[in-house]
Amino acid sequence: MAELQPLKVFGETDVGWCAATPPNETADEDGRPLVRTVGFSAADPRAPARRVYDDPEVVALRERLRRDNGLRGLEIVEPHEIERARRIFFRDGFVVVRDLLDAAALAALRAASARVLHAILAIPGEGGRKYVTESGRLPHRYSYGTSSASRQLLHEPEWAAMVDLATTTPILAALFGGDDYWVIGAGGDLCLPGAIEYQTLHSDRRESFELTPARLEHARRMGIEPRPAADGKGLDDRTRHLLFQRTPPLVTINFLMSDLTAENGPIRQIPGTQTRPESPPTQADEPEWMRLSTLVGAPAGAGVFRDPRAWHGATPNVSREIRAMPNVEYAAPWADASLFQASMPHDLWATLSPHAQRICARIKTAPGEWPEGAGVMHPLAARRAEVNGGRGAIAGGVSLRQG
Ligand SMILES: [Fe+2]
């Protein structure tokens, strides 16, 4: 396809806007089209009827987004404002930090994001569709993680290079109460122009409300003094709530390859939802203020530190620009070792900084071994399962990597 040469994940592009891909059409494991009403790929009942840039419904949506989209008073902090970043993160469940990547790092990651995306989009769609829709996702939306047969991109040098940056490591240490946290994965997500549907609001991981001795000990390190309940049994409710809030099992950093604008699919985050016990609203029930609660104004090179328990979702990209956010996912010091799978080749690991090597120790392969599935990108779960023995190939339900 000529539009893919050269492919860029920032600035104007002809990629996307496939009018032959019906609104709300997802794909099953084998690529058969279907529309779902529940779950992660649930249809957006308010989506425009045609995936066409100049369609009157799309034009109306674009005008409304230009007028109203974006969290009012979004705070964007500098990398050196570590305490401020920590305070906002624990309060809201996310914080935007500018200038995480310098010009060279941003250019390298943009090039890598385009290279990997090219492998996904070069597979022709069926029935006149330009692309293959990813299994279990709405059209024109892809995950760098779940599209990889290893579920990660830690075999790519540019993703491995992100795990330990001078700008991110001090903030991660503040969020985890020290530097003994772990890398658990890396991938990210993107949407093409013409992703006209809202992705349903979700948590990547729900809070279990389980208090293990290791988590309790970690909470003490985070400065939470466990106060006993009045009846002497367990902890008092205020302590328990604070403890779950301050001990996120995971922290994800999404790096922005383009400025987030009102119309290019800015991520939406609902502040303060990281320990809510109930489910987020469905597509039909979500109020307009949540649909507009997006990170408009966050610039390229910035990152969003996210507590993946917090309610979030992707929004319509009605622009002519790809919105890509490669990410790294970190696990708390108290995370169970059984959660980790090898996805970084030993030889790549050996080139990293001492701190990066330590935090990647649980996801690196043994010397001479290549991670299963790494290097195979395909939007269809069944094609990925062919190369990884069926392990972890499905992108439906609640996975750890949904962007
Ligand atoms: Fe997600």
CSV table of all heavy atoms in Angstrom, one decimal, residues 327-378:
chain,number,residue,atom,x,y,z
A,327,ASN,N,4.6,1.8,25.5
A,327,ASN,CA,4.6,1.9,26.9
A,327,ASN,C,5.6,0.9,27.6
A,327,ASN,O,6.1,0.0,26.9
A,327,ASN,CB,3.2,1.7,27.5
A,327,ASN,CG,2.7,0.3,27.5
A,327,ASN,OD1,3.5,-0.7,27.3
A,327,ASN,ND2,1.5,0.1,27.8
A,328,VAL,N,5.9,1.1,28.8
A,328,VAL,CA,6.6,0.1,29.7
A,328,VAL,C,5.7,-0.1,30.9
A,328,VAL,O,5.1,0.8,31.4
A,328,VAL,CB,8.0,0.6,30.1
A,328,VAL,CG1,8.7,-0.5,30.9
A,328,VAL,CG2,8.8,1.0,28.9
A,329,GLU,N,5.6,-1.3,31.3
A,329,GLU,CA,4.8,-1.7,32.5
A,329,GLU,C,5.7,-2.2,33.6
A,329,GLU,O,6.5,-3.1,33.4
A,329,GLU,CB,3.8,-2.7,32.1
A,329,GLU,CG,2.9,-2.2,31.0
A,329,GLU,CD,1.9,-3.2,30.5
A,329,GLU,OE1,1.9,-4.3,31.0
A,329,GLU,OE2,1.1,-2.8,29.7
A,330,TYR,N,5.5,-1.7,34.8
A,330,TYR,CA,6.3,-2.0,36.0
A,330,TYR,C,5.4,-2.7,37.0
A,330,TYR,O,4.3,-2.3,37.2
A,330,TYR,CB,7.0,-0.7,36.6
A,330,TYR,CG,7.9,0.0,35.6
A,330,TYR,CD1,7.4,0.9,34.7
A,330,TYR,CD2,9.2,-0.3,35.5
A,330,TYR,CE1,8.2,1.6,33.8
A,330,TYR,CE2,10.1,0.4,34.6
A,330,TYR,CZ,9.5,1.3,33.8
A,330,TYR,OH,10.3,2.0,32.9
A,331,ALA,N,6.0,-3.6,37.8
A,331,ALA,CA,5.3,-4.3,38.8
A,331,ALA,C,5.9,-3.9,40.2
A,331,ALA,O,7.1,-3.6,40.3
A,331,ALA,CB,5.3,-5.8,38.6
A,332,ALA,N,5.1,-3.9,41.2
A,332,ALA,CA,5.5,-3.5,42.5
A,332,ALA,C,6.6,-4.5,43.1
A,332,ALA,O,6.6,-5.6,42.7
A,332,ALA,CB,4.3,-3.4,43.5
A,333,PRO,N,7.4,-4.0,44.0
A,333,PRO,CA,8.4,-4.9,44.6
A,333,PRO,C,7.8,-6.1,45.2
A,333,PRO,O,8.4,-7.2,45.2
A,333,PRO,CB,9.0,-4.0,45.8
A,333,PRO,CG,8.8,-2.6,45.3
A,333,PRO,CD,7.5,-2.6,44.5
A,334,TRP,N,6.5,-6.0,45.7
A,334,TRP,CA,5.8,-7.2,46.3
A,334,TRP,C,5.1,-8.1,45.3
A,334,TRP,O,4.4,-9.1,45.7
A,334,TRP,CB,4.9,-6.7,47.4
A,334,TRP,CG,3.9,-5.6,46.9
A,334,TRP,CD1,4.2,-4.3,46.9
A,334,TRP,CD2,2.6,-5.8,46.4
A,334,TRP,NE1,3.1,-3.6,46.4
A,334,TRP,CE2,2.1,-4.5,46.1
A,334,TRP,CE3,1.8,-6.9,46.1
A,334,TRP,CZ2,0.9,-4.3,45.5
A,334,TRP,CZ3,0.6,-6.7,45.5
A,334,TRP,CH2,0.1,-5.4,45.2
A,335,ALA,N,5.3,-7.8,44.0
A,335,ALA,CA,4.5,-8.7,43.0
A,335,ALA,C,5.0,-10.1,43.1
A,335,ALA,O,6.2,-10.4,43.3
A,335,ALA,CB,4.8,-8.1,41.6
A,336,ASP,N,4.0,-11.0,42.8
A,336,ASP,CA,4.3,-12.4,42.9
A,336,ASP,C,5.2,-12.8,41.7
A,336,ASP,O,4.9,-12.5,40.5
A,336,ASP,CB,3.0,-13.2,42.8
A,336,ASP,CG,3.1,-14.7,43.1
A,336,ASP,OD1,3.9,-15.3,42.4
A,336,ASP,OD2,2.4,-15.1,44.0
A,337,ALA,N,6.2,-13.5,41.9
A,337,ALA,CA,7.2,-13.9,40.8
A,337,ALA,C,6.6,-14.7,39.7
A,337,ALA,O,7.0,-14.7,38.6
A,337,ALA,CB,8.4,-14.6,41.4
A,338,SER,N,5.4,-15.4,40.0
A,338,SER,CA,4.8,-16.3,39.0
A,338,SER,C,4.1,-15.5,37.9
A,338,SER,O,3.8,-16.0,36.9
A,338,SER,CB,3.8,-17.2,39.7
A,338,SER,OG,2.7,-16.4,40.2
A,339,LEU,N,4.0,-14.1,38.1
A,339,LEU,CA,3.3,-13.3,37.1
A,339,LEU,C,4.2,-13.0,35.9
A,339,LEU,O,3.8,-12.5,34.8
A,339,LEU,CB,2.9,-12.0,37.7
A,339,LEU,CG,1.8,-12.1,38.8
A,339,LEU,CD1,1.6,-10.7,39.4
A,339,LEU,CD2,0.5,-12.6,38.2
A,340,PHE,N,5.5,-13.2,36.0
A,340,PHE,CA,6.5,-12.8,35.0
A,340,PHE,C,6.8,-13.8,34.0
A,340,PHE,O,6.9,-15.0,34.3
A,340,PHE,CB,7.8,-12.3,35.7
A,340,PHE,CG,7.6,-11.2,36.6
A,340,PHE,CD1,7.0,-11.3,37.9
A,340,PHE,CD2,7.9,-9.9,36.2
A,340,PHE,CE1,6.9,-10.3,38.7
A,340,PHE,CE2,7.8,-8.8,37.1
A,340,PHE,CZ,7.2,-9.0,38.3
A,341,GLN,N,6.9,-13.4,32.7
A,341,GLN,CA,7.3,-14.3,31.6
A,341,GLN,C,8.4,-13.7,30.8
A,341,GLN,O,8.5,-12.5,30.6
A,341,GLN,CB,6.1,-14.6,30.7
A,341,GLN,CG,5.0,-15.4,31.3
A,341,GLN,CD,3.9,-15.8,30.3
A,341,GLN,OE1,3.8,-15.1,29.3
A,341,GLN,NE2,3.2,-16.8,30.6
A,342,ALA,N,9.4,-14.6,30.4
A,342,ALA,CA,10.6,-14.1,29.7
A,342,ALA,C,10.2,-13.5,28.4
A,342,ALA,O,9.5,-14.2,27.6
A,342,ALA,CB,11.5,-15.3,29.5
A,343,SER,N,10.6,-12.3,28.1
A,343,SER,CA,10.2,-11.7,26.8
A,343,SER,C,11.4,-10.8,26.3
A,343,SER,O,11.3,-10.2,25.2
A,343,SER,CB,9.0,-10.8,26.9
A,343,SER,OG,9.1,-9.8,27.9
A,344,MET,N,12.5,-10.7,27.1
A,344,MET,CA,13.6,-9.9,26.7
A,344,MET,C,14.8,-10.8,26.5
A,344,MET,O,15.2,-11.5,27.4
A,344,MET,CB,14.0,-8.8,27.7
A,344,MET,CG,15.2,-8.0,27.3
A,344,MET,SD,15.7,-6.8,28.7
A,344,MET,CE,14.5,-5.5,28.5
A,345,PRO,N,15.4,-10.8,25.2
A,345,PRO,CA,16.5,-11.7,25.0
A,345,PRO,C,17.7,-11.3,25.9
A,345,PRO,O,18.0,-10.1,26.1
A,345,PRO,CB,16.8,-11.4,23.5
A,345,PRO,CG,15.6,-10.7,22.9
A,345,PRO,CD,15.0,-10.0,24.1
A,346,HIS,N,18.4,-12.3,26.3
A,346,HIS,CA,19.5,-12.1,27.2
A,346,HIS,C,20.6,-11.2,26.6
A,346,HIS,O,21.1,-10.3,27.3
A,346,HIS,CB,20.2,-13.5,27.5
A,346,HIS,CG,21.5,-13.4,28.3
A,346,HIS,ND1,21.5,-13.4,29.6
A,346,HIS,CD2,22.8,-13.2,27.8
A,346,HIS,CE1,22.8,-13.2,30.0
A,346,HIS,NE2,23.6,-13.1,29.0
A,347,ASP,N,20.8,-11.3,25.3
A,347,ASP,CA,21.9,-10.5,24.7
A,347,ASP,C,21.5,-9.0,24.7
A,347,ASP,O,22.4,-8.1,24.8
A,347,ASP,CB,22.2,-10.9,23.3
A,347,ASP,CG,22.9,-12.3,23.2
A,347,ASP,OD1,23.3,-12.7,24.3
A,347,ASP,OD2,23.0,-12.8,22.1
A,348,LEU,N,20.2,-8.7,24.6
A,348,LEU,CA,19.8,-7.3,24.7
A,348,LEU,C,19.8,-6.8,26.1
A,348,LEU,O,20.3,-5.7,26.4
A,348,LEU,CB,18.3,-7.2,24.1
A,348,LEU,CG,17.7,-5.8,24.1
A,348,LEU,CD1,18.5,-4.8,23.4
A,348,LEU,CD2,16.3,-5.9,23.5
A,349,TRP,N,19.4,-7.7,27.0
A,349,TRP,CA,19.5,-7.4,28.5
A,349,TRP,C,20.9,-7.0,28.9
A,349,TRP,O,21.1,-6.0,29.7
A,349,TRP,CB,19.0,-8.6,29.3
A,349,TRP,CG,19.1,-8.5,30.7
A,349,TRP,CD1,18.3,-7.9,31.6
A,349,TRP,CD2,20.2,-9.1,31.5
A,349,TRP,NE1,18.8,-8.1,32.9
A,349,TRP,CE2,20.0,-8.7,32.9
A,349,TRP,CE3,21.4,-9.8,31.2
A,349,TRP,CZ2,20.8,-9.1,33.9
A,349,TRP,CZ3,22.2,-10.1,32.2
A,349,TRP,CH2,21.9,-9.8,33.5
A,350,ALA,N,21.9,-7.7,28.3
A,350,ALA,CA,23.3,-7.5,28.7
A,350,ALA,C,23.8,-6.2,28.3
A,350,ALA,O,24.8,-5.7,28.9
A,350,ALA,CB,24.1,-8.6,28.1
A,351,THR,N,23.1,-5.5,27.4
A,351,THR,CA,23.6,-4.2,27.0
A,351,THR,C,23.0,-3.0,27.8
A,351,THR,O,23.4,-1.9,27.7
A,351,THR,CB,23.2,-3.9,25.5
A,351,THR,OG1,21.7,-3.7,25.5
A,351,THR,CG2,23.6,-5.0,24.6
A,352,LEU,N,22.1,-3.3,28.7
A,352,LEU,CA,21.4,-2.3,29.5
A,352,LEU,C,22.2,-1.9,30.7
A,352,LEU,O,23.2,-2.5,31.1
A,352,LEU,CB,20.0,-2.8,29.9
A,352,LEU,CG,19.1,-3.3,28.8
A,352,LEU,CD1,17.8,-3.7,29.3
A,352,LEU,CD2,18.9,-2.2,27.7
A,353,SER,N,21.8,-0.8,31.3
A,353,SER,CA,22.4,-0.2,32.5
A,353,SER,C,22.3,-1.2,33.7
A,353,SER,O,21.4,-2.1,33.7
A,353,SER,CB,21.7,1.1,33.0
A,353,SER,OG,20.4,0.8,33.4
A,354,PRO,N,23.1,-1.1,34.7
A,354,PRO,CA,23.0,-2.0,35.9
A,354,PRO,C,21.6,-2.0,36.5
A,354,PRO,O,21.0,-3.0,36.8
A,354,PRO,CB,24.0,-1.5,36.9
A,354,PRO,CG,25.1,-0.9,36.0
A,354,PRO,CD,24.3,-0.3,34.8
A,355,HIS,N,21.0,-0.8,36.7
A,355,HIS,CA,19.6,-0.7,37.2
A,355,HIS,C,18.6,-1.4,36.3
A,355,HIS,O,17.7,-2.2,36.8
A,355,HIS,CB,19.2,0.7,37.5
A,355,HIS,CG,17.8,0.9,38.0
A,355,HIS,ND1,17.4,0.3,39.2
A,355,HIS,CD2,16.7,1.5,37.4
A,355,HIS,CE1,16.1,0.6,39.3
A,355,HIS,NE2,15.7,1.3,38.3
A,356,ALA,N,18.7,-1.1,35.0
A,356,ALA,CA,17.8,-1.8,34.0
A,356,ALA,C,18.0,-3.3,34.1
A,356,ALA,O,17.0,-4.0,34.0
A,356,ALA,CB,18.1,-1.2,32.6
A,357,GLN,N,19.2,-3.8,34.2
A,357,GLN,CA,19.4,-5.2,34.3
A,357,GLN,C,18.7,-5.8,35.5
A,357,GLN,O,18.1,-6.9,35.4
A,357,GLN,CB,20.9,-5.5,34.3
A,357,GLN,CG,21.5,-5.3,32.9
A,357,GLN,CD,23.0,-5.8,32.9
A,357,GLN,OE1,23.4,-6.4,33.8
A,357,GLN,NE2,23.6,-5.5,31.8
A,358,ARG,N,18.8,-5.1,36.6
A,358,ARG,CA,18.2,-5.6,37.8
A,358,ARG,C,16.7,-5.7,37.8
A,358,ARG,O,16.1,-6.7,38.1
A,358,ARG,CB,18.6,-4.7,39.1
A,358,ARG,CG,18.6,-5.5,40.4
A,358,ARG,CD,18.4,-4.6,41.6
A,358,ARG,NE,17.1,-3.9,41.5
A,358,ARG,CZ,15.9,-4.5,41.7
A,358,ARG,NH1,15.9,-5.8,42.0
A,358,ARG,NH2,14.8,-3.8,41.6
A,359,ILE,N,16.1,-4.6,37.2
A,359,ILE,CA,14.6,-4.6,37.2
A,359,ILE,C,14.0,-5.4,36.1
A,359,ILE,O,12.9,-5.8,36.1
A,359,ILE,CB,14.0,-3.1,37.1
A,359,ILE,CG1,14.5,-2.4,35.8
A,359,ILE,CG2,14.4,-2.3,38.4
A,359,ILE,CD1,13.9,-1.0,35.7
A,360,CYS,N,14.9,-5.8,35.1
A,360,CYS,CA,14.5,-6.7,34.0
A,360,CYS,C,14.8,-8.2,34.3
A,360,CYS,O,14.6,-9.1,33.5
A,360,CYS,CB,15.1,-6.3,32.7
A,360,CYS,SG,14.4,-4.8,32.1
A,361,ALA,N,15.4,-8.5,35.5
A,361,ALA,CA,15.9,-9.8,35.8
A,361,ALA,C,14.8,-10.9,35.7
A,361,ALA,O,15.1,-12.0,35.3
A,361,ALA,CB,16.5,-9.9,37.2
A,362,ARG,N,13.5,-10.5,35.9
A,362,ARG,CA,12.5,-11.5,35.9
A,362,ARG,C,11.9,-11.8,34.5
A,362,ARG,O,11.1,-12.7,34.4
A,362,ARG,CB,11.3,-11.1,36.9
A,362,ARG,CG,11.7,-11.3,38.3
A,362,ARG,CD,10.5,-11.0,39.2
A,362,ARG,NE,10.8,-11.3,40.6
A,362,ARG,CZ,9.9,-11.1,41.6
A,362,ARG,NH1,8.8,-10.5,41.3
A,362,ARG,NH2,10.2,-11.5,42.8
A,363,ILE,N,12.2,-10.9,33.6
A,363,ILE,CA,11.6,-11.1,32.2
A,363,ILE,C,12.7,-11.4,31.1
A,363,ILE,O,12.3,-11.4,30.0
A,363,ILE,CB,10.7,-9.9,31.9
A,363,ILE,CG1,11.4,-8.6,32.1
A,363,ILE,CG2,9.4,-10.0,32.6
A,363,ILE,CD1,12.1,-8.0,31.0
A,364,LYS,N,13.9,-11.6,31.5
A,364,LYS,CA,14.9,-11.8,30.5
A,364,LYS,C,15.0,-13.4,30.3
A,364,LYS,O,14.7,-14.1,31.2
A,364,LYS,CB,16.3,-11.3,30.9
A,364,LYS,CG,17.0,-12.1,31.9
A,364,LYS,CD,18.4,-11.6,32.0
A,364,LYS,CE,19.3,-12.6,32.7
A,364,LYS,NZ,19.6,-13.8,31.9
A,365,THR,N,15.5,-13.7,29.1
A,365,THR,CA,15.7,-15.2,28.8
A,365,THR,C,17.0,-15.6,29.4
A,365,THR,O,17.8,-14.8,29.8
A,365,THR,CB,15.6,-15.4,27.3
A,365,THR,OG1,16.8,-14.8,26.7
A,365,THR,CG2,14.3,-15.0,26.7
A,366,ALA,N,17.2,-16.9,29.4
A,366,ALA,CA,18.5,-17.5,29.7
A,366,ALA,C,19.4,-17.2,28.6
A,366,ALA,O,19.0,-17.0,27.4
A,366,ALA,CB,18.3,-19.0,29.9
A,367,PRO,N,20.7,-17.2,28.8
A,367,PRO,CA,21.7,-16.9,27.7
A,367,PRO,C,21.4,-17.9,26.5
A,367,PRO,O,21.2,-19.1,26.7
A,367,PRO,CB,23.0,-17.2,28.4
A,367,PRO,CG,22.8,-17.0,29.8
A,367,PRO,CD,21.4,-17.4,30.1
A,368,GLY,N,21.4,-17.3,25.3
A,368,GLY,CA,21.3,-18.1,24.1
A,368,GLY,C,19.8,-18.4,23.7
A,368,GLY,O,19.6,-18.9,22.7
A,369,GLU,N,18.9,-18.0,24.6
A,369,GLU,CA,17.5,-18.3,24.3
A,369,GLU,C,16.8,-17.1,23.7
A,369,GLU,O,17.0,-15.9,24.2
A,369,GLU,CB,16.7,-18.8,25.6
A,369,GLU,CG,17.0,-20.2,25.9
A,369,GLU,CD,16.2,-20.7,27.1
A,369,GLU,OE1,15.2,-20.0,27.4
A,369,GLU,OE2,16.6,-21.7,27.7
A,370,TRP,N,15.9,-17.3,22.8
A,370,TRP,CA,15.0,-16.3,22.2
A,370,TRP,C,13.6,-16.4,22.8
A,370,TRP,O,13.1,-17.5,22.9
A,370,TRP,CB,15.0,-16.4,20.7
A,370,TRP,CG,14.3,-15.3,20.0
A,370,TRP,CD1,13.0,-15.4,19.4
A,370,TRP,CD2,14.6,-13.9,19.8
A,370,TRP,NE1,12.6,-14.2,18.9
A,370,TRP,CE2,13.6,-13.3,19.1
A,370,TRP,CE3,15.8,-13.2,20.2
A,370,TRP,CZ2,13.7,-11.9,18.8
A,370,TRP,CZ3,15.8,-11.8,19.9
A,370,TRP,CH2,14.8,-11.2,19.2
A,371,PRO,N,13.0,-15.3,23.2
A,371,PRO,CA,11.7,-15.4,23.8
A,371,PRO,C,10.6,-15.9,22.8
A,371,PRO,O,10.6,-15.5,21.6
A,371,PRO,CB,11.3,-13.9,24.2
A,371,PRO,CG,12.4,-13.1,23.7
A,371,PRO,CD,13.5,-13.9,23.1
A,372,GLU,N,9.8,-16.8,23.3
A,372,GLU,CA,8.8,-17.5,22.4
A,372,GLU,C,7.9,-16.5,21.8
A,372,GLU,O,7.3,-15.6,22.5
A,372,GLU,CB,8.0,-18.5,23.3
A,372,GLU,CG,7.2,-19.4,22.5
A,372,GLU,CD,6.5,-20.4,23.4
A,372,GLU,OE1,6.5,-20.2,24.7
A,372,GLU,OE2,6.0,-21.4,22.9
A,373,GLY,N,7.8,-16.5,20.5
A,373,GLY,CA,6.8,-15.6,19.8
A,373,GLY,C,7.4,-14.3,19.4
A,373,GLY,O,6.8,-13.6,18.6
A,374,ALA,N,8.5,-13.9,20.0
A,374,ALA,CA,9.0,-12.5,19.8
A,374,ALA,C,9.4,-12.4,18.3
A,374,ALA,O,10.1,-13.2,17.8
A,374,ALA,CB,10.2,-12.3,20.7
A,375,GLY,N,9.0,-11.3,17.7
A,375,GLY,CA,9.3,-11.0,16.3
A,375,GLY,C,8.2,-11.3,15.4
A,375,GLY,O,8.2,-10.9,14.2
A,376,VAL,N,7.1,-12.0,15.9
A,376,VAL,CA,6.0,-12.2,15.1
A,376,VAL,C,4.9,-11.3,15.5
A,376,VAL,O,4.4,-11.3,16.6
A,376,VAL,CB,5.5,-13.7,15.2
A,376,VAL,CG1,4.2,-13.9,14.4
A,376,VAL,CG2,6.6,-14.6,14.8
A,377,MET,N,4.5,-10.4,14.5
A,377,MET,CA,3.4,-9.5,14.8
A,377,MET,C,2.2,-9.9,13.9
A,377,MET,O,2.3,-10.1,12.7
A,377,MET,CB,3.8,-8.0,14.4
A,377,MET,CG,4.9,-7.5,15.2
A,377,MET,SD,4.6,-7.3,16.9
A,377,MET,CE,3.3,-6.0,16.9
A,378,HIS,N,1.0,-10.0,14.5
A,378,HIS,CA,-0.2,-10.3,13.7
A,378,HIS,C,-1.4,-9.8,14.5
A,378,HIS,O,-1.5,-10.1,15.7
A,378,HIS,CB,-0.3,-11.8,13.4
A,378,HIS,CG,-1.2,-12.0,12.1
A,378,HIS,ND1,-2.5,-11.8,12.1
A,378,HIS,CD2,-0.8,-12.3,10.9
A,378,HIS,CE1,-3.0,-12.0,10.9
A,378,HIS,NE2,-2.0,-12.3,10.1
